Amino acid sequence: MSEREAVLFANSAFYHAFSTRDFDGMVRIWSKTQPLTCIHPGWDILYGREAVLEAWRGIMQRRPEGLHMTPRNERVIIQGDTAIVVCIEEVTAPRFLSATNIFVREGSTWCMVHHHAGPAVIDPASLEPADKPRGPIN
Amino acid sequence: MSEREAVLFANSAFYHAFSTRDFDGMVRIWSKTQPLTCIHPGWDILYGREAVLEAWRGIMQRRPEGLHMTPRNERVIIQGDTAIVVCIEEVTAPRFLSATNIFVREGSTWCMVHHHAGPAVIDPASLEPADKPRGPIN
C-alpha cells in the first residue's frame, strides 16, 4: 500500500466510522499522542482530545440511522509525517459539505489530528467517479 | 523568533494582506512550490495555484473598503515542516468565521498551502485578549 493509499484508507475509515455509528472506531482514528482540534459546521473550535471525542459521541448518538457520509473528490498532500486530505462530503439527501482532514503518521498508521467541515454548494457534475485515480494538484 | 512566532507571523500576514487589499502580498504568502488548495465559505474546493489566487483577486476586488479580518484565539501545531493554525476570524461587524490555515516551511519562511474558512457561531466572551500567550492543546 502506498503512502497515499494509506492516507486515503485512514480518511475512508473516518467516514465509515461515522456512517456506521462506530464510536469506538472513531476513537481509534484520532491520534492519542498529538494535540487535536475539530471544527464542525457552524460550531466554535474544539480543542483537545476530550472535547473532540465527546462532541463526536454526541453527534453520532443524535445522528439519524441511515445517514451516510461519503468522501468524494479526495486530494491528498503528504508533507513528511503530515498528510492533508481535502474532500467533498456527500451526505445522504444528497447534500454536500467540504472538508479538511489532517493526519499524522504514527508508526505504520495515519491518525487524524484535525477535522474541519462546512456546508458547500457543489455541482454534482463535478463529482468524480469513486474509482477514478486522482491526479496531483498543480 | 521562535518557530511558533514565525508561523503566527505568516498567519497574521495573510489576514493583513486581505484587510489592506494587498493582492501582491497575498500572492507572496502562498507557496510557489507546493500544491495549493482553498475552501472559501460555501464554495466548492479550489485546486491549484492559479485557481486559488484568481479567487483571492476577485474576492479582494469585490471586498468593501474598511472590511477587516483579524485572527483571534490562534492555536499553532507544528509537525516537522508543516504548521497548522486554527483560529477564529473576526470580521468587521462583528461576525465570525472559523478557519484552518496550513503552512509549509520553505527556507526561513512559512508559506500557506491551504486555507479553509466557514461561518461560525462564536461567543464573543470566548475571545482571548490579542496579547495573551496561548497555551498548548491537550
Side-chain angles (χ1 to χ4, degrees):
Chain A
M1 188 185 286
S2 71
E3 287 290 20
R4 189 179 161 284
E5 288 168 334
V7 170
L8 282 173
F9 180 82
N11 195 62
S12 295
F14 165 73
Y15 290 104
H16 182 75
F18 178 81
S19 295
T20 58
R21 296 180 175 225
D22 176 9
F23 180 68
D24 291 341
M26 178 64 81
V27 169
R28 283 193 300 273
I29 282 157
W30 286 82
S31 170
K32 292 177 186 62
T33 63
Q34 301 295 319
L36 307 184
T37 46
C38 190
I39 306 176
H40 291 292
W43 291 35
D44 200 346
I45 301 167
L46 301 172
Y47 304 106
R49 184 172 178 82
E50 188 175 338
V52 169
L53 292 180
E54 273 311 300
W56 279 114
R57 186 196 297 276
I59 290 169
M60 291 167 75
Q61 281 174 348
R62 292 191 300 271
R63 189 183 65 72
E65 275 197 62
L67 179 67
H68 286 263
M69 190 175 281
T70 309
R72 303 291 300 268
N73 295 19
E74 304 99 313
R75 292 289 185 285
V76 180
I77 302 169
I78 299 175
Q79 312 267 9
D81 288 337
T82 306
I84 305 158
V85 180
V86 293
C87 61
I88 302 296
E89 299 176 344
E90 182 173 23
V91 188
T92 311
R95 67 184 181 89
F96 300 101
L97 299 96
S98 52
T100 300
N101 297 322
I102 306 177
F103 300 85
V104 296
R105 193 198 328 250
E106 297 187 352
S108 59
T109 306
W110 288 91
C111 299
M112 186 170 264
V113 294
H114 178 66
H115 168 74
H116 182 171
V121 177
I122 304 294
D123 177 2
S126 74
L127 294 176
E128 300 162 353
D131 58 352
K132 178 176 177 273
R134 289 160 189 101
I137 302 162
N138 296 312
Chain B
M1 188 185 286
S2 71
E3 288 289 20
R4 189 178 161 285
E5 288 168 334
V7 171
L8 282 172
F9 180 82
N11 195 61
S12 294
F14 165 73
Y15 290 105
H16 182 75
F18 178 80
S19 295
T20 58
R21 295 179 175 224
D22 176 8
F23 181 68
D24 291 342
M26 178 63 82
V27 169
R28 283 194 299 274
I29 282 156
W30 287 82
S31 170
K32 291 176 186 64
T33 64
Q34 300 296 318
L36 307 184
T37 47
C38 189
I39 306 177
H40 292 292
W43 292 34
D44 200 346
I45 301 167
L46 300 172
Y47 304 106
R49 183 172 178 83
E50 188 177 337
V52 168
L53 293 180
E54 273 311 299
W56 280 113
R57 185 195 299 276
I59 289 169
M60 290 167 74
Q61 281 175 346
R62 292 191 301 271
R63 190 182 65 73
E65 277 198 60
L67 180 67
H68 286 264
M69 190 176 280
T70 308
R72 304 291 301 267
N73 293 20
E74 305 97 313
R75 291 293 185 283
V76 180
I77 302 169
I78 300 175
Q79 311 268 8
D81 287 337
T82 307
I84 305 159
V85 180
V86 293
C87 61
I88 303 296
E89 298 176 345
E90 182 173 24
V91 189
T92 311
R95 67 185 181 89
F96 300 101
L97 299 95
S98 52
T100 300
N101 296 323
I102 306 177
F103 301 85
V104 295
R105 193 198 329 248
E106 297 187 353
S108 59
T109 306
W110 289 90
C111 299
M112 186 170 265
V113 294
H114 178 66
H115 168 74
H116 181 171
V121 177
I122 304 293
D123 177 2
S126 73
L127 294 176
E128 300 163 353
D131 58 350
K132 177 176 177 273
R134 289 160 189 100
I137 302 163
N138 297 312

